[in-house]
Amino acid sequence: MANYFLIGLVAFLCESIDSSLGMGYGTLLTPILLFMGYEPLQIVPLILLSEFITGILSAFMHHKIGNVNLHLGSKGFRIALILAVCSIIGTVIAAFCALSINPRIIKGYIAFLLMLIGVSAYICSHKQSDFSWSKILILGIIASFNKGLSGGGYGPLVTGGQLVSGLDSKKAVGITSLSEGLTCLIGIIAYFTLDAKDLDWLLGTALIIGALLSIPISVNIVKKIKETYFKKIISGSVLLLGLFTFIKTFNHLISYQNLPIIIASIIITIPFAYYFGQKNILNSKQIYHDN
């Protein structure tokens, strides 16, 4: 029983980060549970279930206290719905690609993309860039494609990508919570339709309760942080996650001989992201507003 209490505490901390920054729950929780001895098929359906419940509730709380407008038909709701629908398309494409692509290449690609979006989002945090439905559509497909390939990278890409697409950071976090909750629902249906027997429901209960308890605290923290600072916090978190993913993926290549190549690979990202961010700012013609 003490083990379940510890898991609940871990879920509380992971969801606190996720509900505050729009990223981190599955990314942090999955490796921790694997380290504790659980098998992937034991934890993935339960993580998806807890993410669905907490994602929907977190989105509701963000909406209720005014971080984002998620009324039916509002722009925020439509963005979340588009991102969720794109998850079907991206996951199907990823299923075909996953069989032929080296996992290390996939993780390296995601690391580069996270660093690109992190730097671009930081640049865009100084000014409001032009909101674009086409950017949201592309973002949804890419993020769900990454999720289908590697099981991660959805929250950071969707949250950071929305900043680059012209949304305010607080709205982006609330929209990500809703879209990720709906995306997890698709995964839950798939798992329970195919095979989800012999699940540890005490584990599931600990995950759900621990995560739920963190939501009221997290959404109120988001409400109190200034928009300018919050954009920088999110963009910095995405960039650091990208660097961490890069180092973790290619740690076997890290040596004095390969150090120039590694540094060059990271440096190349910065001017490319700078150009991408500046282009968004220069093309800015409108500011995002809820309907």
Side-chain angles (χ1 to χ4, degrees):
M1 189 59 69
N3 192 45
Y4 292 122
F5 178 81
L6 177 61
I7 289 171
L9 179 61
V10 172
F12 176 91
L13 296 174
C14 291
E15 181 59 31
S16 296
I17 296 171
D18 193 88
S19 292
S20 299
L21 299 177
M23 66 191 85
Y25 184 74
T27 304
L28 296 172
L29 189 58
T30 301
I32 291 173
L33 291 177
L34 289 174
F35 179 77
M36 294 177 71
Y38 289 98
E39 295 297 324
L41 289 178
Q42 286 180 295
I43 61 175
V44 172
L46 296 175
I47 288 177
L48 287 173
L49 179 61
S50 62
E51 263 193 295
F52 164 66
I53 295 172
T54 55
I56 299 299
L57 182 59
S58 177
F60 172 77
M61 292 291 291
H62 279 296
H63 168 80
K64 186 176 180 180
I65 67 173
N67 289 335
V68 62
N69 177 12
L70 292 175
H71 279 298
L72 291 175
S74 67
K75 186 169 285 187
F77 181 82
R78 282 182 285 157
I79 292 171
L81 193 60
I82 287 173
L83 292 172
V85 171
C86 285
S87 67
I88 302 173
I89 302 171
T91 302
V92 170
I93 297 173
F96 287 100
C97 295
L99 299 175
S100 57
I101 300 178
N102 187 307
R104 187 166 285 130
I105 294 176
I106 294 170
K107 291 180 180 178
Y109 147 74
I110 290 176
F112 174 81
L113 201 58
L114 287 174
M115 289 188 288
L116 172 65
I117 288 181
V119 175
S120 300
Y122 182 82
I123 294 168
C124 292
S125 69
H126 299 287
K127 294 182 181 180
Q128 183 71 41
S129 60
D130 184 27
F131 176 77
S132 168
W133 284 107
S134 60
K135 290 178 186 176
I136 292 295
L137 184 63
I138 294 170
L139 172 66
I141 294 175
I142 291 176
S144 57
F145 176 76
N146 293 348
K147 185 85 169 177
L149 280 178
S150 67
Y154 184 86
L157 282 174
V158 168
T159 306
Q162 285 179 83
L163 300 187
V164 177
S165 299
L167 273 79
D168 294 338
S169 56
K170 297 181 181 182
K171 293 181 175 69
V173 171
I175 290 170
T176 300
S177 294
L178 180 57
S179 65
E180 193 162 20
L182 295 174
T183 300
C184 288
L185 178 60
I186 298 169
I188 292 167
I189 293 171
Y191 267 103
F192 282 86
T193 300
L194 297 173
D195 186 21
K197 300 176 183 178
D198 302 322
L199 293 177
D200 186 345
W201 289 107
L202 283 176
L203 170 63
T205 303
L207 291 175
I208 292 169
I209 292 176
L212 285 176
L213 290 174
S214 73
I215 292 174
I217 300 172
S218 303
V219 297
N220 278 286
I221 290 174
V222 171
K223 184 176 179 64
K224 293 179 180 179
I225 299 177
K226 289 184 178 180
E227 177 69 23
T228 305
Y229 296 148
F230 198 46
K231 280 186 176 181
K232 292 178 180 178
I233 291 170
I234 290 177
S235 57
S237 300
V238 174
L239 177 59
L240 287 174
L241 186 58
L243 287 170
F244 174 77
T245 304
F246 182 89
I247 293 170
K248 184 180 178 182
T249 303
F250 299 105
N251 63 342
H252 65 293
L253 297 176
I254 296 177
S255 64
Y256 288 112
Q257 291 83 358
N258 294 327
L259 192 60
I261 299 175
I262 294 171
I263 295 174
S265 299
I266 295 173
I267 291 176
I268 287 171
T269 306
I270 297 175
F272 186 63
Y274 180 81
Y275 168 78
F276 186 61
Q278 287 294 331
K279 185 178 179 181
N280 271 343
I281 293 172
L282 291 174
N283 290 336
S284 178
K285 295 179 182 178
Q286 65 185 57
I287 297 176
Y288 168 75
H289 289 290
D290 283 325
N291 281 355

